[in-house]
């Protein structure tokens, strides 16, 4: 990077950090805090710079995000930068070594919940939009910046509202601002989730009549699921499927064996083991349970969510633009497929390609002492700006 470009990137990074600090100091824990304060900071910043933006609402009228739109002056595709400004909960605040909403900087680390995921990226994307606005007439298509406040709930209300908004141009691709300097995340496992209700006759724990209670039946089902044969890595997708029991509830007290126990089953899927395969596996285990330990009421399986896996080829946009821009900036990054699911899976279900991570180094994401390292921010900013300009023909 030339000296002039380096100086410009460093100056822009200082402004990005200032905005990110203000966002961190407005708690926006999903399902806990109100979102008006954190979105108000962004709305004031965007209004001051005359950047066109509007609020997004879900079907119930709840505020779920902001959308910034910079139309180009020439025909072409629209591309989107996406970062959430809601966050995970704080957890045990007494375990933190600094206040979760501090937003201060110590030894080049920006500290506080949302520093890594993803308020720094939101501030960066807003600045990129401001950079491009004066040159919009020369750009093809347009740039949208989605600032979501319904990401950590798992509802992805901002993304859903954006995709169903008839006034919004449908994006040709999305770059999601999750952190991490070593990788451009180009794929992720999908998921299939279900609730399972296991039944049995209730009874008194001291009764002389032997009863196989719902908890015992459910425990047997867990053993069957844990022993289920899942395929290994196959083909170009680098991760295998994975099954987890994430919730187990039934009964209360000591003297009664309950008549119902509820499980949550989470299966991470791949192109060769999809949602249909996951449901088939669970229903087969349930049928085996009901045959081995019969009960008056059959075990019930209620699917609650299914997202497809996704993986972009390195030459597919927008992955290619981001990887090329990183290489031009002198960064050695790799294309990676992530284990956790994310908004990229939702977008894949809509036929929209997405990258789901490239950013500054971080620590404590979703845990205690979350923080983001700032020394690399000028490089990361330059990479995203170059990638966007490449996609927009700038």
């Amino acid at each position: 990077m030339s000296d002039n470009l380096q100086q410009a990137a460093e100056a822009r990074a200082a402004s990005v950090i200032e905005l990110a600090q203000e966002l961190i100091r407005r708690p926006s824990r999903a399902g806990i805090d109100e979102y008006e304060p954190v979105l108000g900071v962004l709305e004031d910043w965007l209004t001051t710079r005359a950047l066109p933006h509007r609020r997004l609402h879900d079907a119930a009228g709840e505020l779920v995000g902001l959308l910034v739109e910079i139309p180009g002056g020439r025909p072409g595709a629209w591309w989107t930068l996406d970062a959430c400004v809601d966050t995970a909960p704080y957890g045990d605040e007494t375990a933190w070594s600094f206040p979760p909403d501090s937003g201060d900087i110590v030894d080049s680390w920006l500290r506080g919940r949302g520093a890594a995921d993803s308020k720094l990226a939101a501030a960066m994307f807003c600045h990129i939009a401001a950079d491009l606005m004066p040159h919009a007439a020369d750009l093809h298509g347009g740039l949208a910046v989605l600032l979501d406040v319904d990401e950590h709930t798992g509802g992805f209300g901002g993304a859903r509202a954006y995709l169903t908004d008839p006034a919004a141009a449908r994006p040709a691709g999305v770059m999601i601002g999750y952190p991490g300097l070593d990788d451009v995340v180009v794929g992720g496992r999908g998921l299939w989730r279900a609730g399972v209700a296991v039944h049995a006759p209730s009874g008194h724990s001291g009764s002389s009549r032997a009863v196989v209670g719902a908890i015992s039946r459910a425990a047997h089902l867990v053993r069957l699921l844990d022993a289920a044969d899942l395929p290994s890595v196959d083909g170009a997708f680098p991760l295998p499927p994975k099954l987890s029991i994430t919730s187990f509830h039934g009964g209360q007290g000591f003297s009664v064996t309950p008549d119902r126990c509820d499980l949550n089953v989470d299966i991470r899927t791949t192109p060769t083991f999809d949602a249909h395969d996951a449901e088939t596996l669970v229903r087969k285990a349930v049928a085996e349970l009901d045959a081995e330990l019969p009960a008056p009421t059959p075990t019930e399986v209620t699917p609650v969510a299914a997202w497809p896996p996704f993986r972009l080829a390195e030459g597919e946009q927008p992955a290619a633009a981001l990887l090329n821009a990183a290489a031009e900036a002198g960064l050695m990054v790799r294309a990676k497929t992530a284990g956790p699911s994310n908004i990229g899976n939702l977008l894949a279900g809509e036929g929209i390609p997405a990258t789901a991570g490239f950013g500054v180094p971080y620590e404590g994401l979703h845990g205690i002492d979350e923080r983001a390292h700032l020394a690399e921010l000028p490089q990361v900013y330059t990479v995203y700006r170059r990638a966007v300009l490449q996609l927009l023909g700038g």
Side-chain angles (χ1 to χ4, degrees), residues 18 68-69 145 228 279 309 316 359:
E18 182 179 357
V68 184
E69 294 170 303
V145 177
E279 183 167 357
E316 187 176 355

PDB file of all heavy atoms in Angstrom, residues 18 68-69 145 228 279 309 316 359:
ATOM      1  N   GLU A  18     -14.059   5.470  16.422  1.00  0.00           N
ATOM      2  CA  GLU A  18     -14.870   6.395  17.226  1.00  0.00           C
ATOM      3  C   GLU A  18     -16.348   6.026  17.165  1.00  0.00           C
ATOM      4  O   GLU A  18     -17.043   6.001  18.196  1.00  0.00           O
ATOM      5  CB  GLU A  18     -14.658   7.824  16.737  1.00  0.00           C
ATOM      6  CG  GLU A  18     -15.420   8.866  17.528  1.00  0.00           C
ATOM      7  CD  GLU A  18     -15.184  10.278  17.033  1.00  0.00           C
ATOM      8  OE1 GLU A  18     -14.370  10.465  16.106  1.00  0.00           O
ATOM      9  OE2 GLU A  18     -15.820  11.214  17.569  1.00  0.00           O
ATOM     10  N   VAL A  68     -29.058   1.102   4.444  1.00  0.00           N
ATOM     11  CA  VAL A  68     -28.430   2.200   3.712  1.00  0.00           C
ATOM     12  C   VAL A  68     -28.355   1.793   2.249  1.00  0.00           C
ATOM     13  O   VAL A  68     -27.950   0.669   1.933  1.00  0.00           O
ATOM     14  CB  VAL A  68     -27.016   2.489   4.249  1.00  0.00           C
ATOM     15  CG1 VAL A  68     -26.406   3.700   3.549  1.00  0.00           C
ATOM     16  CG2 VAL A  68     -27.043   2.684   5.762  1.00  0.00           C
ATOM     17  N   GLU A  69     -28.741   2.697   1.348  1.00  0.00           N
ATOM     18  CA  GLU A  69     -28.747   2.366  -0.075  1.00  0.00           C
ATOM     19  C   GLU A  69     -28.047   3.468  -0.871  1.00  0.00           C
ATOM     20  O   GLU A  69     -28.445   4.629  -0.809  1.00  0.00           O
ATOM     21  CB  GLU A  69     -30.177   2.175  -0.573  1.00  0.00           C
ATOM     22  CG  GLU A  69     -30.878   0.969   0.054  1.00  0.00           C
ATOM     23  CD  GLU A  69     -32.370   0.928  -0.247  1.00  0.00           C
ATOM     24  OE1 GLU A  69     -33.057   1.915   0.083  1.00  0.00           O
ATOM     25  OE2 GLU A  69     -32.836  -0.080  -0.800  1.00  0.00           O
ATOM     26  N   VAL A 145     -26.064  -1.328   2.624  1.00  0.00           N
ATOM     27  CA  VAL A 145     -25.474  -1.708   3.906  1.00  0.00           C
ATOM     28  C   VAL A 145     -26.623  -2.071   4.839  1.00  0.00           C
ATOM     29  O   VAL A 145     -27.464  -1.226   5.155  1.00  0.00           O
ATOM     30  CB  VAL A 145     -24.625  -0.573   4.507  1.00  0.00           C
ATOM     31  CG1 VAL A 145     -24.091  -0.997   5.874  1.00  0.00           C
ATOM     32  CG2 VAL A 145     -23.479  -0.206   3.571  1.00  0.00           C
ATOM     33  N   ALA A 228     -26.104 -42.934  16.535  1.00  0.00           N
ATOM     34  CA  ALA A 228     -26.484 -42.928  15.125  1.00  0.00           C
ATOM     35  C   ALA A 228     -25.250 -42.776  14.235  1.00  0.00           C
ATOM     36  O   ALA A 228     -24.295 -42.076  14.569  1.00  0.00           O
ATOM     37  CB  ALA A 228     -27.463 -41.787  14.860  1.00  0.00           C
ATOM     38  N   GLU A 279     -33.873 -35.491   9.271  1.00  0.00           N
ATOM     39  CA  GLU A 279     -35.198 -35.847   9.800  1.00  0.00           C
ATOM     40  C   GLU A 279     -35.417 -37.359   9.738  1.00  0.00           C
ATOM     41  O   GLU A 279     -35.987 -37.950  10.677  1.00  0.00           O
ATOM     42  CB  GLU A 279     -36.292 -35.112   9.023  1.00  0.00           C
ATOM     43  CG  GLU A 279     -37.678 -35.385   9.574  1.00  0.00           C
ATOM     44  CD  GLU A 279     -38.734 -34.449   9.041  1.00  0.00           C
ATOM     45  OE1 GLU A 279     -38.400 -33.529   8.268  1.00  0.00           O
ATOM     46  OE2 GLU A 279     -39.924 -34.621   9.416  1.00  0.00           O
ATOM     47  N   PRO A 309     -26.831 -25.996   3.820  1.00  0.00           N
ATOM     48  CA  PRO A 309     -25.412 -25.639   3.846  1.00  0.00           C
ATOM     49  C   PRO A 309     -25.090 -24.793   2.621  1.00  0.00           C
ATOM     50  O   PRO A 309     -25.851 -24.754   1.655  1.00  0.00           O
ATOM     51  CB  PRO A 309     -24.705 -26.990   3.787  1.00  0.00           C
ATOM     52  CG  PRO A 309     -25.672 -27.863   3.059  1.00  0.00           C
ATOM     53  CD  PRO A 309     -27.042 -27.398   3.455  1.00  0.00           C
ATOM     54  N   GLU A 316     -16.051 -17.548  -7.311  1.00  0.00           N
ATOM     55  CA  GLU A 316     -17.432 -17.074  -7.351  1.00  0.00           C
ATOM     56  C   GLU A 316     -17.557 -15.790  -6.546  1.00  0.00           C
ATOM     57  O   GLU A 316     -16.979 -15.653  -5.474  1.00  0.00           O
ATOM     58  CB  GLU A 316     -18.356 -18.165  -6.781  1.00  0.00           C
ATOM     59  CG  GLU A 316     -19.826 -17.876  -6.905  1.00  0.00           C
ATOM     60  CD  GLU A 316     -20.678 -19.033  -6.400  1.00  0.00           C
ATOM     61  OE1 GLU A 316     -20.101 -20.085  -6.052  1.00  0.00           O
ATOM     62  OE2 GLU A 316     -21.914 -18.875  -6.330  1.00  0.00           O
ATOM     63  N   GLY A 359     -12.273 -10.078   8.921  1.00  0.00           N
ATOM     64  CA  GLY A 359     -12.214  -8.867   9.718  1.00  0.00           C
ATOM     65  C   GLY A 359     -10.981  -8.868  10.588  1.00  0.00           C
ATOM     66  O   GLY A 359     -10.025  -9.607  10.339  1.00  0.00           O
TER      67      GLY A 359
END
